[in-house]
Amino acid sequence: MGGDEVSRLATGPSGAPEPTPEQREAAASPVISALQARRSILPPQSAYSTVSNAVLAANSRTAEAELRAARLRAAAASKNWLPRIGPSISLTSLSDVVANLVLEQVLFGHGRLKAERAFAKADVEVAAVALADDTNERVLTALTLYLGAAEARERRALDSRTLKDMSHFEWIMRQRVEGGVSDRSDLSILAQKLGEIRLSLTSAEEAERTALAELNAMAATPLDDVSGLRDLTGPMPEAEPLSVLRAMAEEDRSVAEARTERAGLLPGLTASGTVGSDNDGGVNLGGGLLGLGTGDSLRAIEMQKDAAARKTRQAEEDAARTLRRLEQEIIALERQVGEAAALAAQARANLDLFQEQYDSGQRQVMDVVGVYETFAAREQSALSRKYELARARLKSARLLGLLADGSRI
């Protein structure tokens, strides 16, 4: 029998599970529903996902506290149509104190109570979008730092190999100079090139340490051992940009605020009663006082609604422009990544050819050094394009709020 009781309490009239407060809130709000429907595009079990989970676990979530406060205000506003009761104490003379209990009920207020409820609901939506935006921004910051560390790590590996190969060329040139075969100026040029490579190698090491130190400061667990680059291929899922959702919620809030202000300018009807020393009751007509400027004030409130709608349209235009720019940037970088890889392969083939010609005595050492520098530069360029593409895709996902699951936020 106890099981039947639990079943009746846990299901609705049709036998379906009773919706949770979060589900009811999402059903009543298209903005919150759109936020909860978002899914992260970060591949599971990847370095991206590991970094995201670590930094979100250490998130102080200030915006979450603001969302909770907004929800409490909305819960309070949802009951504003009920009568209000409170004590009234007055001193009628030096010896008499009159204590009453006042009961008040708004009968007609030009939609003021409804507008207050709409304002509180829109305030929750604004806070929810702010939380999603804050979370996605935190993930983007962490992943940008991770990409910086990963790029510096790969650049350091390339510089280490280049330093090793150039040191070999420098050793050959030193032997030739000591044997009187080559000029000492070539050895000086190689020594300068080695100094530049060592400087680049040191800079890469410092950039890697700095990015990892900042990333670890954001994360709940150390991320020094995380490595790998999983590209976000394919088109982005269809989703409304977070900036547009924020503008929509702020528009609803501004409209509700304008309606509240409009109701405050017009007279309303209130029923009140007093219980205590002086039993009394009645219906009061009160509210805003009408004046010569009331018409202009009402028109100004209507303009506030128009301004809020215009801000939403402007946010939609700005978001569309940013998305189109990022899409074209991604397309261009995808092409550049392919071209840079092809140029690096071609430079490698030229280097192999010059090396064979040098071994057969057809080329000088400095000829091979020049071709090797071209090959190293092409590899560095291909590396830069690869990480620029990864950053561009992350920026596009952040704009759409796709760096974290909405249900988890």
Side-chain angles (χ1 to χ4, degrees):
M1 181 173 178
D4 295 338
E5 284 293 324
V6 173
S7 176
R8 285 196 296 269
L9 292 173
T11 58
S14 61
E18 195 71 28
T20 63
E22 290 78 9
Q23 291 172 335
R24 288 194 295 268
E25 184 182 52
S29 171
V31 172
I32 294 180
S33 178
L35 290 174
Q36 291 184 346
R38 277 168 166 72
R39 293 294 176 266
S40 172
I41 64 170
L42 302 180
Q45 309 302 323
S46 65
Y48 280 169
S49 180
T50 302
V51 172
S52 174
N53 293 335
V55 298
L56 289 182
N59 191 6
S60 60
R61 296 174 68 87
T62 305
E64 181 180 2
E66 296 175 354
L67 175 59
R68 289 176 178 174
R71 280 175 168 165
L72 290 174
R73 289 193 295 268
S78 66
K79 304 176 181 65
N80 67 350
W81 57 274
L82 295 172
R84 293 184 299 175
I85 188 171
S88 174
I89 301 175
S90 61
L91 182 64
T92 59
S93 65
L94 295 178
S95 59
D96 296 329
V97 176
V98 178
N100 298 307
L101 194 62
V102 179
L103 181 67
E104 185 178 87
Q105 173 67 58
V106 177
L107 301 179
F108 179 70
H110 298 279
R112 178 174 60 84
L113 299 181
K114 183 179 179 181
E116 289 176 354
R117 294 194 295 271
F119 179 89
K121 176 188 172 183
D123 199 37
V124 172
E125 293 176 344
V126 172
V129 178
L131 175 59
D133 190 70
D134 180 74
T135 303
N136 277 268
E137 181 63 26
R138 181 176 179 83
V139 174
L140 176 64
T141 301
L143 292 179
T144 301
L145 289 171
Y146 170 73
L147 289 179
E151 182 180 6
R153 188 181 298 123
E154 286 196 45
R155 194 176 298 278
R156 176 168 56 84
L158 290 179
D159 287 338
S160 298
R161 189 195 63 189
T162 302
L163 180 63
K164 179 180 177 182
D165 293 340
M166 280 293 187
S167 297
H168 177 67
F169 290 136
E170 193 262 351
W171 178 82
I172 293 175
M173 183 60 68
R174 186 177 299 278
Q175 301 303 314
R176 292 174 63 87
V177 169
E178 292 177 355
V181 179
S182 297
D183 189 82
R184 185 170 293 275
S185 60
D186 292 336
L187 183 60
S188 299
I189 293 174
L190 279 174
Q192 179 183 352
K193 293 182 184 298
L194 284 174
E196 294 173 355
I197 296 170
R198 290 190 182 97
L199 177 60
S200 177
L201 178 60
T202 302
S203 299
E205 292 173 346
E206 292 173 346
E208 180 185 1
R209 286 196 301 269
T210 302
L212 284 177
E214 189 173 351
L215 180 60
N216 287 330
M218 296 178 61
T221 56
L223 298 171
D224 301 84
D225 298 331
V226 179
S227 60
L229 177 62
R230 182 83 172 270
D231 205 0
L232 305 177
T233 57
M236 291 290 174
E238 292 291 335
E240 199 77 56
L242 290 181
S243 58
V244 175
L245 289 179
R246 181 193 287 269
M248 292 169 57
E250 290 178 345
E251 178 185 355
D252 292 341
R253 188 172 64 177
S254 297
V255 169
E257 183 180 14
R259 288 174 177 169
T260 304
E261 292 179 4
R262 179 181 180 277
L265 292 175
L266 301 174
L269 198 61
T270 304
S272 63
T274 303
V275 178
S277 301
D278 298 328
N279 293 326
D280 192 13
V283 177
N284 301 320
L285 178 65
L289 299 178
L290 302 179
L292 295 178
T294 302
D296 291 333
S297 297
L298 292 174
R299 284 190 290 273
I301 291 173
E302 292 301 320
M303 290 303 299
Q304 291 180 17
K305 300 178 183 179
D306 181 65
R310 290 173 183 267
K311 288 181 180 178
T312 300
R313 291 195 294 270
Q314 185 63 49
E316 292 173 348
E317 178 185 327
D318 294 343
R321 286 175 51 201
T322 304
L323 280 175
R324 299 294 88 78
R325 176 177 58 80
L326 286 173
E327 287 174 1
Q328 294 304 314
E329 183 179 344
I330 289 172
I331 292 173
L333 285 171
E334 287 175 340
R335 175 184 54 80
Q336 293 172 17
V337 166
E339 292 176 351
L343 288 173
Q346 182 181 356
R348 179 71 200 186
N350 292 339
L351 176 62
D352 293 340
L353 177 60
F354 269 65
Q355 185 67 45
E356 292 176 2
Q357 293 175 346
Y358 169 75
D359 293 339
S360 62
Q362 300 177 18
R363 295 285 183 180
Q364 298 293 324
V365 176
M366 296 305 294
D367 295 335
V368 182
V369 168
V371 177
Y372 186 89
E373 282 186 308
T374 301
F375 164 68
R378 293 289 179 268
E379 283 201 323
Q380 295 280 5
S381 177
L383 178 66
S384 298
R385 295 294 179 274
K386 179 176 70 172
Y387 281 94
E388 286 177 14
L389 176 60
R391 292 187 184 95
R393 284 178 172 151
L394 287 177
K395 289 178 182 178
S396 181
R398 184 260 178 275
L399 183 65
L400 297 173
L402 299 175
L403 293 181
D405 290 336
S407 57
R408 291 181 59 190
I409 297 176

